[in-house]
């Protein structure tokens, strides 16, 4: 404690400059998004400049299409919602695991397994949509359970197991598809649900647009439920405690291993529902010949990061990413689809720097705030500084590089 | 601070909303099915046609790729192309059948050119081609015939055929290939069994390790050349061929010789030519389909340069079979001297006759239709 | 002026909202041992960071031999001959002493290591300063005191003139401390100058020539050691007179609260058992202290008792119940509180707010939750009471994020939570580590109060002063075993030191499985 100013209770002016954690989060997300968009624009200019025949109006057209398309028409808005629904689910899956300190890179595998079982349930078993979704949820959950158990029982890093299970999921699903010929239209694409089992298509509430279904509402419902679980229940409390400090949780008597297993089970289930929502929309068939991982699960990572894993925030960020993707399609034909992918990725990944921005904001606010909190902060700064002295004034040892 | 960002965001949106009102337009649009325009197949062949016509006639053109592999996305992308000023939309591939069915009525002022398919509903119950749409089909059996004929003429005796799936277009290629081999064997006066064909459907339009292994087996067992007929599956066949000293491959749809020096020829559809021809007809008729094309389907064969083998020097990799010989057989196809059957299944009468001849059996017991051969031995269970 | 080798004149370093160093002057004479005295947070670290070029001071200058120097980074400091022995050694465990010494300044010829000359140089230095270091031993095999001498050799090898010792005695036994003091005096004789950072007054009195005292970022003064006293120094350091702890004699009871029988806890670091067949009892109304050098099994003993680590054999009986196989939560509910060794690792969820941290062991109880839904109102209510009762200072009270609190207040929060559980047994591991004098005093009083209320306190401490001050009974652990049971009134730190390094073992503990 470096108490130059004695620690008093809150002084009046402090309440004025005080900003809540939530505000910092929101502001930093917004700033990140703007920075991301600006990077995207800069990137557009760069690729224009290095072209053989640059046309400086292209970046403007492209960028304006990107920005405007998402809400240019009812249809576009519906498409944004359509694309946001599975994104929201995988975002929740990743974010929920983040809360427990787990990095579920396997959302894409759980999503794939969920998608497969949703289609099996819909086409082979002729289940209605809600039952197929439940099947997807269970399948995804079980797929998430495996790394959870490995982590809890054998302390095997979930990043490694989930990555491996992504590929396992992909080829496992391909194999199962091959062995279930009843599910195909041709041997490449699964049957059109409108033909195979119209009752398995998510209800469209009478809206005739092919992209419209209740998927987004289901996803939002899940987000709200997850929010309540995390913020209001003892289980959520335990998850967050484990996520923030596993040792302290164990010390406090929380069964951390059980919490990890449950968390991965739920995380997988959420991703599984995402797969279900996507493939029960009745639009897109599953292409069995795919030998690349579905990108959807990975897109959940920036969605969760950008929202600081807050389930309600994930609703918004998934809509944003979806809005970008829909907008990106409208950049064609000036920009090729590959270029559009790069541009949207640039924006998404720069946007995901929200965390850094939030730290900058906090630092800035501390500076302006001064007083008590700054004092406390300085303690930390000093600790870091002395640690720094230690680090720098002695040669780097392998020990430091490796073990820690 | 919040205000500042709010204003900034608003300003950005406002500026770009304004700018976007004045976008560029593109008159001829090509929408790819799922792949991209460099797929060495339908998308690329059609795109080359669009480019060729548009550049020669100074018309704006562009291509679009759907966001996902769904009819909804293809419809959306077609609509996006129309928003960007497309007057004619070229759609390569059967995947567009349902998409065109959905959009052709909604956009009567826009023309559609569908390659290798005919618009229909999801459940195949209704086929309809409106007057602003023209479909092009190809006589794959003739292309397959030429490939089989050329291979046997060039001295190959142990042939193979790998189809993507047993869909009509692929089957026509395959049966044409068999007929061509038979025809050449007859011309050369070979005896029965001299020419063999291993015949197989891979059940996928992409390569796989399993397929490569199977092809390794074929080449090891003496197969000299394999007709790789289906999208990207040629990759596995080529890989297997390259594992051997002299295994050869025949490509499909477009001229694939650039893919590997093992590819001796390709059973081509005249995608580029037919797109150029269709576009020419469309523009010559004041940007509308001429009556004979409006709402109709053309089936293009040798007579309209709809199919063929590549004859450019770089693409000609036969040793004894000459371009002149090829041109002769091609001319025979054009004038009907040589006819290639496009039959791929039993007719209703034949089924009835068979059922009558085999009492107690039902339709499913009937063996599948295969072209009749006397000299060539085809192993349909290879 | 000329006889100062290093001068830091009127140094001022500000951090947002706080002045960490306010007009501080530190002048180190050539050939003296100069102590820098101050509590945690007094600004010692900042001042050293300035000296090492990690911070740019807002005001002030640094002079070397009277010349103003510009130190931009630690390499500059090294070039000026300034070296430091850190509190936590920076050594590669699997390397030999020699390899560690040359690390970072490896002598090479054509890109190959040439250790022969270096070896001779190191041996010579070792002999000259009487360091007695085996250069071929691996760090992991040598004692802590020897490791520290390796650090000293490292500085000597780099030909540093100004040697900074950062709290060097914290990890040493009394015997090793004596040894270090001799070495330091030896170094001075050979012309080195030493800055000795410490808050232990008796050591400063023993070894140093002059003392500079800092308090809360301010320069209090520099005094000659022979013209001052411990009392004066402590007043300068703390700013007021320190009461020595007044302790009522323990109310002896026979009620056994905790009974540990033949406990064996395997080590996570090596193949041997960290705790090897330990048995003892703790009774109500006493503070039983486990003393020993760090790493002799005290931590594992506590982990075994509290359930944080699996034991391989033995039994633990708490309040008459066998808790050997109980979960941590059940142990807590049976009557165990635990103030953990590492408050950041175990004690707190740093990103939770204070209210949640105070409820960490209660949130699951009816009243704090209904049907699985947490009653945050109740959590707040509960924490507000504890905050006032234990005087936990925090900006936003219950809503304060634990991370932003000072170390002393974090520790207060943990103690509040643990005592609030009302358990009969309080296990406290190094509860005063890293805290300032005021906070230490407070915690000691709290522990004694618990004892007076009839609870059993099991205190694990590395600080001999603390052990001597507040315990009613002392167990000394060495190499995973209890080697002595002592009465603090009848023993001396020196005697404890002998047991701590394993030089002595009480007869009754020589046979395996002795009972304390």
């Amino acid at each position: 404690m470096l108490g130059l100013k004695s620690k008093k209770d809150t002084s009046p002016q402090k309440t004025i400059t005080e900003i809540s954690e939530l505000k910092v989060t929101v502001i930093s997300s917004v700033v990140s998004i703007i920075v991301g968009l600006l990077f995207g624009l800069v990137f557009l200019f760069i690729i224009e400049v290095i072209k053989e025949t640059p046309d400086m109006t292209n970046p403007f057209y492209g960028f304006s299409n990107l920005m405007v398309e998402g809400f240019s028409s009812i249809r576009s808005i519906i498409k944004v919602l359509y694309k946001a629904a599975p994104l929201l689910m995988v975002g929740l899956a990743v974010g929920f695991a983040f809360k427990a300190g787990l990095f579920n890179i396997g959302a894409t595998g759980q999503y794939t397994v969920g998608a497969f079982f949703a289609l099996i349930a819909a086409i082979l078993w002729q289940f209605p949509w809600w039952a197929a979704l439940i099947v997807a949820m269970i399948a995804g959950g079980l797929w998430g359970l495996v790394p959870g158990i490995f982590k809890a029982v054998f302390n095997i890093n979930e990043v490694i197991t989930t990555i491996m299970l992504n590929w396992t999921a992909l080829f496992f699903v391909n194999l199962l598809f091959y062995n279930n010929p009843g599910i195909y239209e041709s041997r490449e694409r699964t049957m059109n649900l409108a033909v195979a089992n119209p009752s398995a298509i998510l209800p469209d509430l009478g809206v005739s647009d092919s992209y419209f279904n209740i998927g987004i509402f289901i996803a939002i419902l899940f987000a709200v439920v997850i929010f309540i679980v995390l913020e209001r229940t003892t289980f959520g409390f335990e998850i967050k405690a484990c996520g923030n400090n596993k040792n302290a949780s164990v010390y406090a008597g929380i069964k951390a291993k059980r919490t990890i297993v449950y968390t991965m089970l739920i995380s997988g289930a959420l991703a599984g529902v995402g797969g279900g929502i996507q493939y029960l929309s009745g639009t897109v068939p599953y292409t069995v010949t795919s030998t690349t991982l579905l990108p959807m699960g990975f897109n959940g990572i920036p969605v969760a990061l950008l929202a600081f894993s807050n389930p309600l925030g994930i609703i918004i960020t998934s809509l944003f990413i979806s809005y970008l993707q829909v907008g990106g399609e409208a950049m064609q034909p000036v920009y090729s689809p590959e270029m559009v992918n790069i541009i949207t990725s640039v924006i998404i990944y720069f946007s995901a720097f929200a965390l850094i921005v939030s730290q900058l904001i906090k630092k800035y606010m501390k500076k302006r705030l001064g007083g008590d909190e700054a004092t406390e902060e300085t303690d930390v700064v000093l600790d870091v500084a002395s640690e720094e002295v230690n680090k720098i004034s002695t040669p780097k040892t392998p020990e430091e590089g490796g073990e820690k | 601070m919040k205000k500042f960002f709010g204003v900034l965001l608003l300003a950005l949106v406002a500026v770009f909303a304004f700018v976007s009102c004045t976008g560029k337009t593109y008159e001829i649009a090509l929408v790819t099915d799922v792949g991209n325009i460099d797929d060495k197949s339908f998308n690329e062949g059609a795109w080359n046609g669009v480019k060729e016509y548009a550049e020669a006639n100074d018309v704006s053109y562009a291509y679009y790729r759907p966001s996902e592999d769904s009819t909804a996305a293809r419809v959306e992308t077609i609509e996006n192309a129309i928003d960007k000023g497309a007057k004619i939309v070229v759609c390569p591939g059967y995947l567009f059948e349902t998409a065109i069915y959905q959009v052709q009525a909604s956009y009567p002022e826009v023309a559609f050119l569908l390659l290798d398919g005919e618009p229909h509903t999801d459940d195949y119950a209704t086929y309809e081609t409106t007057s602003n749409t023209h479909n092009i089909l190809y006589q794959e059996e003739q292309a397959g015939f030429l490939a089989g004929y050329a291979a046997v003429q060039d001295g190959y005796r142990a042939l193979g055929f790998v189809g993507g799936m047993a869909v009509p277009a692929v089957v026509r290629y395959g049966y044409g290939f068999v007929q061509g081999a038979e025809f050449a064997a007859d011309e050369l006066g070979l005896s029965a069994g001299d020419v063999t064909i291993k015949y197989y459907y891979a059940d996928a339009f992409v390569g796989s390790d399993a397929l490569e292994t199977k092809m390794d087996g074929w080449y090891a067992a003496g197969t000299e050349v394999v007709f790789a007929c289906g999208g990207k599956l040629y990759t596995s066949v080529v890989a297997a061929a390259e594992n051997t000293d002299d295994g050869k491959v025949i490509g499909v749809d477009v001229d694939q010789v650039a893919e590997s020096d093992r590819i001796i020829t390709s059973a081509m559809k005249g995608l580029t030519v037919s797109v150029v021809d269709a576009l020419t007809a469309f523009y010559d008729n004041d940007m509308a389909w001429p009556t004979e094309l409006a709402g109709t389907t053309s089936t293009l064969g040798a007579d309209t340069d709809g199919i063929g083998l590549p004859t450019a020097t770089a693409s000609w990799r036969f040793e004894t079979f000459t371009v002149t010989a090829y041109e002769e057989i091609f001319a025979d196809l054009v004038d009907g001297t040589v006819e290639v059957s496009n039959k791929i299944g039993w007719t209703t009468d034949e089924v009835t006759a068979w059922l009558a001849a085999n009492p107690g059996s039902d339709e499913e017991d009937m063996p599948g239709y295969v072209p009749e051969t006397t000299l060539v031995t085809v192993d349909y269970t290879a | 002026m000329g006889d100062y080798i290093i001068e830091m004149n009127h140094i001022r370093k500000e951090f947002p909202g706080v002045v960490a160093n306010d007009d501080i002057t530190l002048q180190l004479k050539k050939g003296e041992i100069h102590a820098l005295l101050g509590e945690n947070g007094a600004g010692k670290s900042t001042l050293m960071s300035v000296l090492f070029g990690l911070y740019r001071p807002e005001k002030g200058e640094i002079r070397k031999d009277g010349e103003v120097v510009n130190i931009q980074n630690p390499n500059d400091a090294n070039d000026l001959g300034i070296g430091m022995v850190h509190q936590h050694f920076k050594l590669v465990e699997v390397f030999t002493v020699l390899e560690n010494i040359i690390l970072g300044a490896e002598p090479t010829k054509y890109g190959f290591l040439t250790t022969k000359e270096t070896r001779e140089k190191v041996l010579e230095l070792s002999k000259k300063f009487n360091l007695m270091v085996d250069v071929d031993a691996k760090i992991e095999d040598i004692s802590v005191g020897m490791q520290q001498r390796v650090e000293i050799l490292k500085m000597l090898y780099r030909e540093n003139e100004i040697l900074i010792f950062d709290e060097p005695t914290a990890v040493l036994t009394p015997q090793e401390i004596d040894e270090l003091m001799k070495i330091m005096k030896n170094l001075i004789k050979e012309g080195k100058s030493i800055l000795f950072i410490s808050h232990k007054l008796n050591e400063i009195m023993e070894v140093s020539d002059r003392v500079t005292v800092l308090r809360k970022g301010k320069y209090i003064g520099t005094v000659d050691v022979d013209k001052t006293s411990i009392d004066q120094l402590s007043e300068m350091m703390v700013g007021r007179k320190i009461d020595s702890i007044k302790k009522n004699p323990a109310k002896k009871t026979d009620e056994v609260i905790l009974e540990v029988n033949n406990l064996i806890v395997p080590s996570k670091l090596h193949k041997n058992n960290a705790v090897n067949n330990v048995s003892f009892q703790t009774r109500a109304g006493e503070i039983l202290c486990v003393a020993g050098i760090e790493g002799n099994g005290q931590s594992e003993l506590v982990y075994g008792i509290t359930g944080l680590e699996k034991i391989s054999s033995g039994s633990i009986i708490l309040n008459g119940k066998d808790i050997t196989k109980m979960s941590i939560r059940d142990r807590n509910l049976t009557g165990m509180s635990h103030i953990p060794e590492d408050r950041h690792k175990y004690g707190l969820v740093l990103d939770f707010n204070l209210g949640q941290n105070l409820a960490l062991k209660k949130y699951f109880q009816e009243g704090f939750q209904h049907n699985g839904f947490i009653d945050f109102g109740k959590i707040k209510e509960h924490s507000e009471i504890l905050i006032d009762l234990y005087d936990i200072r925090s900006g936003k009270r219950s809503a304060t994020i634990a991370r932003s609190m000072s170390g002393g207040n974090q520790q207060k929060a943990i103690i509040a939570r643990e005592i609030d559980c009302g358990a009969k047994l309080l296990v406290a591991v190094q509860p005063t580590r890293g805290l300032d004098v005021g906070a230490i005093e407070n915690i000691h009083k709290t522990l004694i109060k618990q004892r007076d209320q009839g609870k059993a306190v099991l205190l694990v401490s590395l600080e001999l002063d603390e052990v001597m001050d507040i315990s009613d009974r002392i167990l000394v652990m060495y190499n995973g075993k209890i080697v002595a049971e002592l009465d603090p009134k009848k023993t001396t730190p020196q005697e404890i030191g002998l047991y701590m390094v394993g030089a002595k073992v009480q007869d009754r503990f020589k046979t395996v499985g002795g009972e304390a």
Side-chain angles (χ1 to χ4, degrees), chain A residues 55 58 61 64 75 79 82 285 287 329-330 332 338, chain B residues 16 22 24 36 64-65 67-69 73 76 79 84 122:
Chain A
D55 176 355
N58 278 346
Y61 292 137
S64 62
R75 179 122 221 251
K79 176 113 195 247
Y82 159 81
T287 311
E329 287 154 26
Q332 292 193 67
E338 287 76 13
Chain B
F16 290 112
T22 56
K24 297 177 184 174
N36 211 339
Y64 303 78
R65 187 177 176 183
S67 59
E68 60 182 31
D69 178 15
E76 185 201 5
E79 288 172 341
K84 299 263 162 67
D122 282 340

Short mmCIF file of all heavy atoms in Angstrom, two decimals, chain A residues 55 58 61 64 75 79 82 285 287 329-330 332 338, chain B residues 16 22 24 36 64-65 67-69 73 76 79 84 122:
data_model
loop_
_atom_site.label_atom_id
_atom_site.label_comp_id
_atom_site.label_asym_id
_atom_site.label_seq_id
_atom_site.Cartn_x
_atom_site.Cartn_y
_atom_site.Cartn_z
N ASP A 55 -8.84 2.35 -58.71
CA ASP A 55 -10.01 3.21 -58.85
C ASP A 55 -10.42 3.62 -57.45
O ASP A 55 -10.97 2.84 -56.70
CB ASP A 55 -11.15 2.43 -59.54
CG ASP A 55 -12.42 3.27 -59.63
OD1 ASP A 55 -12.43 4.40 -59.07
OD2 ASP A 55 -13.38 2.80 -60.24
N ASN A 58 -13.68 2.86 -55.59
CA ASN A 58 -14.05 1.51 -55.16
C ASN A 58 -14.14 1.35 -53.65
O ASN A 58 -15.11 0.78 -53.15
CB ASN A 58 -13.06 0.49 -55.72
CG ASN A 58 -13.39 0.13 -57.15
OD1 ASN A 58 -14.49 0.45 -57.61
ND2 ASN A 58 -12.47 -0.49 -57.85
N TYR A 61 -17.40 2.84 -52.46
CA TYR A 61 -18.58 2.03 -52.81
C TYR A 61 -18.62 0.78 -51.95
O TYR A 61 -19.64 0.43 -51.38
CB TYR A 61 -18.54 1.63 -54.28
CG TYR A 61 -18.72 2.78 -55.24
CD1 TYR A 61 -17.93 2.91 -56.37
CD2 TYR A 61 -19.70 3.74 -55.00
CE1 TYR A 61 -18.09 3.96 -57.24
CE2 TYR A 61 -19.87 4.81 -55.86
CZ TYR A 61 -19.06 4.92 -57.00
OH TYR A 61 -19.22 5.95 -57.85
N SER A 64 -19.35 1.55 -48.30
CA SER A 64 -20.71 2.00 -48.05
C SER A 64 -21.69 0.84 -48.20
O SER A 64 -22.63 0.70 -47.42
CB SER A 64 -21.07 3.14 -48.98
OG SER A 64 -21.01 2.69 -50.30
N ARG A 75 -35.63 -7.46 -46.20
CA ARG A 75 -35.01 -8.73 -46.54
C ARG A 75 -33.60 -8.83 -45.93
O ARG A 75 -33.22 -9.85 -45.39
CB ARG A 75 -34.93 -8.81 -48.08
CG ARG A 75 -34.30 -10.06 -48.58
CD ARG A 75 -35.23 -10.82 -49.49
NE ARG A 75 -35.13 -12.23 -49.20
CZ ARG A 75 -34.55 -13.10 -50.03
NH1 ARG A 75 -34.05 -12.73 -51.18
NH2 ARG A 75 -34.50 -14.37 -49.70
N LYS A 79 -32.14 -11.34 -43.24
CA LYS A 79 -30.94 -12.15 -43.47
C LYS A 79 -29.96 -11.98 -42.31
O LYS A 79 -29.31 -12.93 -41.88
CB LYS A 79 -30.28 -11.73 -44.79
CG LYS A 79 -28.98 -12.46 -45.07
CD LYS A 79 -29.06 -13.39 -46.24
CE LYS A 79 -27.92 -14.36 -46.29
NZ LYS A 79 -27.00 -14.17 -47.41
N TYR A 82 -31.21 -14.08 -39.63
CA TYR A 82 -31.03 -15.49 -39.99
C TYR A 82 -29.60 -15.95 -39.72
O TYR A 82 -29.34 -17.00 -39.15
CB TYR A 82 -31.40 -15.66 -41.46
CG TYR A 82 -30.85 -16.88 -42.15
CD1 TYR A 82 -31.46 -18.12 -42.01
CD2 TYR A 82 -29.72 -16.78 -42.98
CE1 TYR A 82 -30.96 -19.23 -42.67
CE2 TYR A 82 -29.22 -17.89 -43.63
CZ TYR A 82 -29.84 -19.12 -43.47
OH TYR A 82 -29.35 -20.22 -44.11
N PRO A 285 -28.49 -27.10 -47.27
CA PRO A 285 -28.27 -28.52 -47.00
C PRO A 285 -26.86 -28.72 -46.43
O PRO A 285 -26.00 -27.86 -46.61
CB PRO A 285 -28.38 -29.15 -48.38
CG PRO A 285 -27.92 -28.08 -49.31
CD PRO A 285 -28.22 -26.76 -48.67
N THR A 287 -23.40 -30.25 -46.73
CA THR A 287 -22.60 -30.80 -47.81
C THR A 287 -21.63 -31.82 -47.21
O THR A 287 -20.74 -31.46 -46.46
CB THR A 287 -21.81 -29.71 -48.53
OG1 THR A 287 -22.73 -28.66 -48.85
CG2 THR A 287 -21.21 -30.23 -49.81
N GLU A 329 -21.40 -9.34 -48.39
CA GLU A 329 -21.86 -9.94 -49.65
C GLU A 329 -22.22 -8.87 -50.66
O GLU A 329 -22.06 -9.06 -51.87
CB GLU A 329 -23.07 -10.84 -49.37
CG GLU A 329 -22.68 -12.13 -48.67
CD GLU A 329 -23.82 -12.69 -47.86
OE1 GLU A 329 -24.99 -12.42 -48.19
OE2 GLU A 329 -23.54 -13.39 -46.87
N ALA A 330 -22.68 -7.73 -50.16
CA ALA A 330 -23.09 -6.67 -51.06
C ALA A 330 -21.89 -5.93 -51.65
O ALA A 330 -22.04 -5.06 -52.50
CB ALA A 330 -23.99 -5.68 -50.33
N GLN A 332 -19.78 -7.39 -53.37
CA GLN A 332 -19.60 -7.99 -54.69
C GLN A 332 -20.34 -7.10 -55.69
O GLN A 332 -21.33 -6.48 -55.36
CB GLN A 332 -20.22 -9.39 -54.72
CG GLN A 332 -19.49 -10.37 -53.84
CD GLN A 332 -19.95 -11.79 -54.15
OE1 GLN A 332 -19.71 -12.29 -55.21
NE2 GLN A 332 -20.64 -12.40 -53.21
N GLU A 338 -13.55 -13.67 -51.84
CA GLU A 338 -12.39 -13.92 -50.99
C GLU A 338 -11.94 -12.62 -50.33
O GLU A 338 -11.62 -12.58 -49.15
CB GLU A 338 -11.23 -14.50 -51.81
CG GLU A 338 -11.42 -15.93 -52.24
CD GLU A 338 -12.39 -16.07 -53.40
OE1 GLU A 338 -12.72 -15.05 -54.04
OE2 GLU A 338 -12.82 -17.21 -53.67
N PHE B 16 -21.46 7.22 -45.96
CA PHE B 16 -21.44 6.06 -46.84
C PHE B 16 -22.82 5.74 -47.40
O PHE B 16 -22.94 5.21 -48.48
CB PHE B 16 -20.81 4.88 -46.12
CG PHE B 16 -19.35 5.11 -45.92
CD1 PHE B 16 -18.81 5.31 -44.68
CD2 PHE B 16 -18.52 5.17 -47.04
CE1 PHE B 16 -17.47 5.56 -44.54
CE2 PHE B 16 -17.18 5.41 -46.89
CZ PHE B 16 -16.64 5.61 -45.63
N THR B 22 -24.86 5.88 -55.50
CA THR B 22 -24.35 5.98 -56.86
C THR B 22 -23.35 4.85 -57.10
O THR B 22 -22.18 5.10 -57.32
CB THR B 22 -23.65 7.33 -57.06
OG1 THR B 22 -22.63 7.42 -56.07
CG2 THR B 22 -24.61 8.47 -56.92
N LYS B 24 -21.80 1.38 -59.10
CA LYS B 24 -21.60 1.00 -60.49
C LYS B 24 -22.58 -0.11 -60.86
O LYS B 24 -23.08 -0.81 -59.98
CB LYS B 24 -20.18 0.49 -60.67
CG LYS B 24 -19.14 1.53 -60.39
CD LYS B 24 -17.77 0.91 -60.52
CE LYS B 24 -16.70 1.92 -60.15
NZ LYS B 24 -15.38 1.32 -60.13
N ASN B 36 -15.82 -21.37 -57.03
CA ASN B 36 -15.46 -20.06 -57.53
C ASN B 36 -15.23 -20.13 -59.04
O ASN B 36 -15.32 -21.20 -59.64
CB ASN B 36 -14.22 -19.55 -56.81
CG ASN B 36 -14.24 -18.04 -56.71
OD1 ASN B 36 -14.93 -17.37 -57.49
ND2 ASN B 36 -13.50 -17.51 -55.79
N TYR B 64 -20.62 -13.07 -59.22
CA TYR B 64 -21.04 -13.04 -57.82
C TYR B 64 -20.97 -14.46 -57.29
O TYR B 64 -21.20 -15.42 -58.01
CB TYR B 64 -22.48 -12.53 -57.69
CG TYR B 64 -22.71 -11.16 -58.28
CD1 TYR B 64 -22.84 -11.00 -59.66
CD2 TYR B 64 -22.81 -10.04 -57.48
CE1 TYR B 64 -23.05 -9.75 -60.22
CE2 TYR B 64 -23.02 -8.78 -58.01
CZ TYR B 64 -23.14 -8.64 -59.39
OH TYR B 64 -23.35 -7.40 -59.93
N ARG B 65 -20.69 -14.55 -56.00
CA ARG B 65 -20.65 -15.87 -55.39
C ARG B 65 -21.61 -15.90 -54.20
O ARG B 65 -21.56 -15.02 -53.35
CB ARG B 65 -19.23 -16.15 -54.90
CG ARG B 65 -19.03 -17.55 -54.41
CD ARG B 65 -17.59 -17.76 -54.03
NE ARG B 65 -17.41 -19.09 -53.47
CZ ARG B 65 -16.26 -19.54 -52.99
NH1 ARG B 65 -15.20 -18.77 -53.01
NH2 ARG B 65 -16.18 -20.75 -52.50
N SER B 67 -23.41 -16.67 -50.62
CA SER B 67 -22.79 -16.71 -49.29
C SER B 67 -22.79 -18.12 -48.72
O SER B 67 -22.04 -18.43 -47.82
CB SER B 67 -23.54 -15.78 -48.35
OG SER B 67 -24.89 -16.17 -48.25
N GLU B 68 -23.68 -18.96 -49.20
CA GLU B 68 -23.67 -20.33 -48.68
C GLU B 68 -24.22 -21.26 -49.75
O GLU B 68 -24.74 -20.81 -50.78
CB GLU B 68 -24.50 -20.44 -47.39
CG GLU B 68 -25.94 -20.05 -47.60
CD GLU B 68 -26.78 -20.11 -46.34
OE1 GLU B 68 -26.24 -19.86 -45.25
OE2 GLU B 68 -27.98 -20.38 -46.46
N ASP B 69 -24.13 -22.53 -49.52
CA ASP B 69 -24.56 -23.53 -50.50
C ASP B 69 -26.05 -23.79 -50.31
O ASP B 69 -26.45 -24.85 -49.87
CB ASP B 69 -23.74 -24.80 -50.28
CG ASP B 69 -24.16 -25.90 -51.23
OD1 ASP B 69 -24.85 -25.59 -52.22
OD2 ASP B 69 -23.79 -27.06 -50.98
N ALA B 73 -29.58 -18.72 -50.80
CA ALA B 73 -28.43 -17.85 -51.02
C ALA B 73 -28.24 -17.58 -52.51
O ALA B 73 -27.87 -16.48 -52.91
CB ALA B 73 -27.17 -18.46 -50.43
N GLU B 76 -30.75 -15.09 -53.48
CA GLU B 76 -30.35 -13.79 -52.96
C GLU B 76 -29.24 -13.17 -53.81
O GLU B 76 -29.25 -11.97 -54.10
CB GLU B 76 -29.86 -13.99 -51.53
CG GLU B 76 -29.53 -12.71 -50.82
CD GLU B 76 -28.60 -12.95 -49.65
OE1 GLU B 76 -28.16 -14.10 -49.46
OE2 GLU B 76 -28.30 -11.99 -48.95
N GLU B 79 -30.51 -11.89 -56.97
CA GLU B 79 -31.19 -10.61 -56.74
C GLU B 79 -30.19 -9.48 -56.52
O GLU B 79 -30.39 -8.35 -56.99
CB GLU B 79 -32.12 -10.73 -55.52
CG GLU B 79 -33.34 -11.56 -55.85
CD GLU B 79 -34.21 -11.88 -54.64
OE1 GLU B 79 -33.70 -11.77 -53.50
OE2 GLU B 79 -35.36 -12.25 -54.83
N LYS B 84 -27.56 -4.74 -58.86
CA LYS B 84 -26.37 -4.06 -59.37
C LYS B 84 -26.47 -3.88 -60.87
O LYS B 84 -25.46 -3.67 -61.56
CB LYS B 84 -25.12 -4.88 -59.02
CG LYS B 84 -24.93 -5.03 -57.52
CD LYS B 84 -23.96 -4.02 -56.95
CE LYS B 84 -24.08 -3.86 -55.45
NZ LYS B 84 -23.68 -5.03 -54.68
N ASP B 122 -38.70 -27.60 -55.79
CA ASP B 122 -37.87 -28.41 -54.89
C ASP B 122 -38.16 -29.90 -55.04
O ASP B 122 -37.27 -30.73 -54.97
CB ASP B 122 -38.16 -28.02 -53.42
CG ASP B 122 -37.46 -26.73 -53.06
OD1 ASP B 122 -36.49 -26.38 -53.76
OD2 ASP B 122 -37.88 -26.09 -52.08
#
